Amino acid sequence: MSRHRNVRSYNYDEAAQFIYSRQARPSAFGEPLEEEDYEYEEEEEQQPVVPSTQKPRVGADDQARLYSCLEQMREVLGDSVSEQEMTEAVLKCNFSAQEALDMVFSQNNTARGSRAKNQTALSSGKSTKGGARDPPVKKTESEIVPKVARMTVSGKKQTMGFDIPSTTVEENGDSVNAIKKGAGLDETATPRTVDVSSKTSLPAAATSVAEEPMATQTPGRSTGKSKQQIDVKAELEKRQGGKQLINLVVIGHVDAGKSTLMGHLLYLTGNVNKRTMHKYEQESKKAGKASFAYAWVLDETGEERERGVTMDVGMTKFETKTKVITLMDAPGHRDFIPNMISGAAQADVAVLVVDASRGEFEAGFEAGGQTREHGLLVRSLGVTQLAVAVNKMDQVSWQQERFKEITTKLGQFLKQAGFKESDVGYIPTSGLAGENLINRSTLPELISWYKGPSLLEHIDSFKPPQRPVEKPFRLCVSDVFKDQGSGFCVTGKIEAGYVQTGDKILAMPPNETCSVKGIVLHDEPVDWAAAGDHVSLTVTGMDIIKINVGCLFCDPKEPIKACTRFRARVLIFNIDLPITQGFPVLLHYQTVSEPATIRRLVSILHKSTGEVLKRRPKCLTKGQNAVVELQTQRPVALELYKDFKELGRFMLRYAGSTISAGVVTEIKE
Ligand code: GDP
């Protein structure tokens, strides 16, 4: 299970001191654990180290760019070229890593002999790192292992039917040269691809991979990879054993019983073992909250349990007969609506939970309740299929009249909100008793009038959404954290395309590239992941400080635009104050929550025809459809709605209420 946390609004100047710094010595964190020590060492090794005597005199920004370039080059060249040589090339090429690489290559081509000399110098202890490390030759041996491990990935991918450039290890006398081959890899090269299991048994001679810089080059990841040859759709089907993937968000007013319902459902489907459930029961009893035992399955944090309120988006996975479901339990309390929005933005379908108890349904449904707001939000964020769990039916003795009363009221509202009647199902449930959750109920008072499906059956019947795997890669960051090892982790849902380990991806903002070192899907490491997957990526080659929740990772060849000014068509919800020029709002978009202002009121449109009714209106009032221009404080990465539905929609909130939903029609700057 994973949790989202909104760090976009952190003050990074202050937060910086708490974030792991590559430059800082480990001692700054007190006594480092042995393991951490090792990680640090490894990271240090990958760091471009410029000897102080050779450090170029550049400003802080340029220095950061220089380090980033050096790191990219180091990935390709290993230790074969001196730091100084690379630094000079980077400076000459105006911080373009690619050009600098080309320059180093051409220099080395024309001066192979001198390079060999350089190598001798390096291996005789004039390494830039030197110091108290192992003797240079041995050190290269330890360094080669991660490199080979990386090659292994491509080896694995080949066995998965992915036709991508592979890295091979060829013996050449007593030196081994890793030679990158293109997509048209010849037969003789393939069997030499190193396998994970064989990496430890590499001959000691493999230590000198770095001796031939041209040969160690593995830039295929960033240049020559022929992604179009991967049949991701077929691979996806294989991976899920023929099951379809659906992202489901659970929404509804606070205390409607969302966590209890889904916690119990997870228990009944075997996703929570008896021992754990027993533990939750005991703990919740001790805490005087026995009725929350099932809710604790999803409410993981101490504060959530103490307050009995879901605050963050809990995420877990379960399976039905035909589907693999990623379940997101969204907070119902209005204070946590931004978290709920980021959960809902990643969902394909929703379960709306309403409390059937007398007075409680009404409290959630009336103005100020979250039933309406959540319903509107998910619809505006693109969810079209809904299962309504009319919950706590035990409290009203499973009365058909009460069920009818609720479904009629809700039905009218949901229709207005834009849900098709055929896409909404109503299921009477009791989350606490576990009634009608996975199996159809046998309660006489219910089956006398209800013959419909159980909640799980209804979830199983949701139509799976299209997965735009053929579109360029897009992932919206929902969490950023530092894990063990080099680099850092970002989590989020892949909105489009797919990603493989070793890929170079671009973060917008800040418009910088990094490499994907690892991908974790449902707690398991994988080589690739595609649209619809909630993944955690380990990325290297970028400073964690630059990545916030809400950043978009994309394909560098087809980047997403980042802008601070854009036009949008908006629908104004029930608002008290009219919206005028300069109106301050919070823009919620995927996992972004960004202050913005309505810079210009462009026109009021006819609701159904879209025809312009009035140009440059003075204000906008409830229920109106309009075109407005929005200005954000910081750049946000957006797509036009017509190109990319999922990334072209947003919500506007003001003073704790959602005041409008919109779609991006024009990106200005
Ligand atoms: P959430 O805020 O929507 O996640 O609601 P919780 O799952 O935390 O539940 C709020 C309270 O309602 C808890 O005390 C639950 O035990 C109780 N509850 C949940 N489902 C049912 C139900 O089906 N019947 C009854 N009687 N109580 C329920």
Side-chain angles (χ1 to χ4, degrees):
M1 295 187 198
S2 62
R3 320 284 296 176
H4 292 168
R5 106 191 116 84
N6 189 352
V7 295
R8 188 172 170 85
S9 49
Y10 279 3
N11 176 350
Y12 274 93
D13 290 341
E14 275 175 31
Q17 59 184 308
F18 301 113
I19 293 175
Y20 178 75
S21 154
R22 289 176 168 211
Q23 274 72 41
R25 294 264 111 202
S27 57
F29 300 88
E31 275 298 299
L33 293 173
E34 241 173 74
E35 262 179 7
E36 283 172 355
D37 220 345
Y38 166 75
E39 294 299 346
Y40 180 80
E41 291 270 305
E42 186 187 80
E43 193 159 324
E44 271 276 276
E45 279 183 13
Q46 291 174 3
Q47 278 300 302
V49 179
V50 183
S52 54
T53 49
Q54 298 163 6
K55 259 182 193 157
R57 280 197 211 110
V58 287
D61 275 1
D62 286 347
Q63 193 138 23
R65 287 162 72 195
L66 171 69
Y67 280 137
S68 158
C69 289
L70 289 180
E71 194 162 351
Q72 285 174 45
M73 293 173 76
R74 176 63 65 223
E75 266 182 31
V76 176
L77 299 170
D79 269 357
S80 54
V81 177
S82 77
E83 215 74 51
Q84 193 177 3
E85 209 177 327
M86 293 200 300
T87 307
E88 277 166 14
V90 171
L91 293 177
K92 274 187 201 149
C93 298
N94 201 17
F95 300 100
S96 161
Q98 199 55 51
E99 283 175 27
L101 268 174
D102 290 345
M103 178 181 279
V104 172
F105 284 151
S106 58
Q107 279 171 3
N108 277 278
N109 262 342
T110 52
R112 279 194 172 234
S114 67
R115 193 183 58 242
K117 240 163 81 189
N118 266 347
Q119 280 301 314
T120 331
L122 273 175
S123 54
S124 63
K126 287 184 191 163
S127 143
T128 50
K129 289 164 194 165
R133 303 242 168 139
D134 289 341
V137 175
K138 273 205 169 165
K139 193 183 70 192
T140 7
E141 181 176 9
S142 68
E143 278 172 346
I144 192 69
V145 175
K147 280 184 190 118
V148 174
R150 225 155 38 87
M151 295 168 200
T152 312
V153 175
S154 44
K156 260 205 222 157
K157 276 179 196 161
Q158 293 232 329
T159 61
M160 285 165 50
F162 285 10
D163 189 5
I164 55 163
S166 167
T167 314
T168 62
V169 173
E170 283 185 3
E171 284 188 41
N172 178 10
D174 57 0
S175 74
V176 177
N177 303 323
I179 301 173
K180 185 203 149 265
K181 297 275 180 184
L185 197 67
D186 63 50
E187 281 284 85
T188 52
T190 315
R192 289 183 171 275
T193 305
V194 181
D195 196 6
V196 188
S197 49
S198 66
K199 77 180 178 201
T200 45
S201 61
L202 261 184
T207 55
S208 51
V209 159
E211 281 184 16
E212 282 286 80
M214 296 304 289
T216 55
Q217 178 192 2
T218 53
R221 293 289 183 200
S222 53
T223 52
K225 193 163 71 169
S226 43
K227 278 199 155 199
Q228 64 280 8
Q229 291 180 24
I230 299 174
D231 191 354
V232 180
K233 280 199 170 147
E235 290 296 331
L236 269 174
E237 267 187 27
K238 249 191 260 168
R239 188 181 76 189
Q240 285 151 210
K243 290 192 176 184
Q244 304 141 336
L245 185 116
I246 279 201
N247 293 297
L248 179 146
V249 67
V250 187
I251 53 169
H253 192 64
V254 64
D255 277 351
K258 299 180 291 299
S259 302
T260 305
L261 186 81
M262 296 323 282
H264 206 151
L265 189 122
L266 286 175
Y267 173 63
L268 293 175
T269 49
N271 286 280
V272 184
N273 64 35
K274 280 201 173 130
R275 220 180 52 206
T276 314
M277 204 55 242
H278 182 71
K279 191 176 124 222
Y280 289 153
E281 275 167 18
Q282 297 301 317
E283 286 175 0
S284 56
K285 236 186 238 164
K286 247 194 231 161
K289 295 176 187 289
S291 67
F292 283 94
Y294 290 112
W296 281 21
V297 173
L298 286 154
D299 290 347
E300 288 174 274
T301 68
E303 196 179 351
E304 284 181 327
R305 289 177 173 185
E306 203 168 289
R307 291 176 61 175
V309 176
T310 310
M311 289 151 75
D312 219 337
V313 181
M315 200 181 289
T316 189
K317 181 189 106 166
F318 69 96
E319 292 189 19
T320 63
K321 266 191 212 140
T322 62
K323 307 216 160 51
V324 178
I325 314 268
T326 308
L327 167 71
M328 289 167 283
D329 181 32
H333 198 284
R334 60 176 307 165
D335 289 356
F336 307 111
I337 289 252
N339 294 356
M340 181 266 162
I341 293 177
S342 62
Q346 300 175 56
D348 309 310
V349 297
V351 170
L352 169 65
V353 184
V354 294
D355 186 340
S357 327
R358 303 228 167 259
E360 292 301 326
F361 167 73
E362 287 71 15
F365 190 60
E366 274 150 22
Q370 259 59 66
T371 309
R372 278 172 189 267
E373 187 167 13
H374 280 192
L376 263 179
L377 278 173
V378 289
R379 183 63 199 91
S380 308
L381 289 166
V383 170
T384 53
Q385 301 175 73
L386 198 64
V388 181
V390 182
N391 196 32
K392 304 198 190 178
M393 281 296 288
D394 55 309
Q395 296 279 53
V396 292
S397 317
W398 302 93
Q399 282 170 7
Q400 186 180 12
E401 298 70 49
R402 180 64 177 157
F403 182 77
K404 268 197 178 156
E405 184 189 346
I406 290 172
T407 52
T408 316
K409 278 190 188 165
L410 259 180
Q412 284 168 356
F413 163 71
L414 292 173
K415 206 169 155 191
Q416 280 170 8
F419 287 97
K420 273 197 215 153
E421 258 172 66
S422 56
D423 286 337
V424 183
Y426 300 89
I427 306 108
T429 59
S430 167
L432 198 60
E435 211 56 58
N436 216 16
L437 296 192
I438 69 164
N439 296 319
R440 292 191 183 199
S441 176
T442 50
L443 278 181
E445 48 278 51
L446 176 62
I447 52 173
S448 61
W449 57 269
Y450 181 77
K451 309 271 183 258
S454 66
L455 181 60
L456 194 74
E457 282 177 329
H458 191 93
I459 292 174
D460 196 41
S461 70
F462 278 132
K463 296 185 279 287
Q466 289 292 321
R467 284 183 169 237
V469 287
E470 63 297 328
K471 285 193 174 178
F473 173 66
R474 300 284 187 261
L475 175 142
C476 193
V477 176
S478 60
D479 202 357
V480 189
F481 56 93
K482 181 82 184 85
D483 207 356
Q484 289 178 337
S486 56
F488 60 94
C489 298
V490 293
T491 58
K493 181 187 158 201
I494 302 180
E495 288 297 335
Y498 60 94
V499 66
Q500 292 170 251
T501 44
D503 276 357
K504 286 257 182 273
I505 51 173
L506 177 72
M508 288 290 269
N511 195 10
E512 279 190 29
T513 48
C514 57
S515 308
V516 179
K517 204 177 133 207
I519 306 172
V520 175
L521 174 68
H522 298 311
D523 293 334
E524 289 190 8
V526 290
D527 290 336
W528 59 274
D533 289 338
H534 277 274
V535 288
S536 166
L537 304 182
T538 306
V539 297
T540 52
M542 187 186 280
D543 196 336
I544 186 170
I545 203 87
K546 299 203 172 142
I547 299 299
N548 295 334
V549 168
C551 282
L552 254 130
F553 279 101
C554 59
D555 184 343
K557 286 184 214 118
E558 293 176 84
I560 190 167
K561 289 189 190 102
C563 66
T564 53
R565 202 153 65 83
F566 62 94
R567 282 197 180 187
R569 183 171 167 167
V570 294
L571 168 67
I572 311 294
F573 294 161
N574 248 346
I575 50 166
D576 301 329
L577 284 175
I579 294 177
T580 49
Q581 196 171 322
F583 198 90
V585 287
L586 260 184
L587 170 77
H588 287 278
Y589 152 75
Q590 291 283 330
T591 54
V592 175
S593 171
E594 184 68 23
T597 46
I598 296 186
R599 188 187 146 103
R600 193 169 291 168
L601 306 179
V602 181
S603 55
I604 295 176
L605 306 177
H606 188 280
K607 265 192 187 168
S608 35
T609 61
E611 176 195 340
V612 175
L613 296 180
K614 187 174 184 183
R615 286 191 193 281
R616 295 175 166 245
K618 286 269 174 305
C619 67
L620 300 175
T621 52
K622 65 174 141 186
Q624 279 183 332
N625 236 302
V627 174
V628 297
E629 197 170 297
L630 282 143
Q631 172 100 46
T632 56
Q633 285 182 2
R634 294 179 294 180
V636 286
L638 287 166
E639 295 273 7
L640 296 183
Y641 179 73
K642 69 175 172 55
D643 298 337
F644 237 118
K645 279 198 172 84
E646 302 77 11
L647 300 172
R649 318 187 148 95
F650 60 87
M651 315 292 305
L652 298 178
R653 303 193 86 232
Y654 172 74
S657 316
T658 308
I659 58 163
S660 169
V663 295
V664 181
T665 52
E666 194 182 337
I667 291 173
K668 288 288 199 184
E669 63 187 41

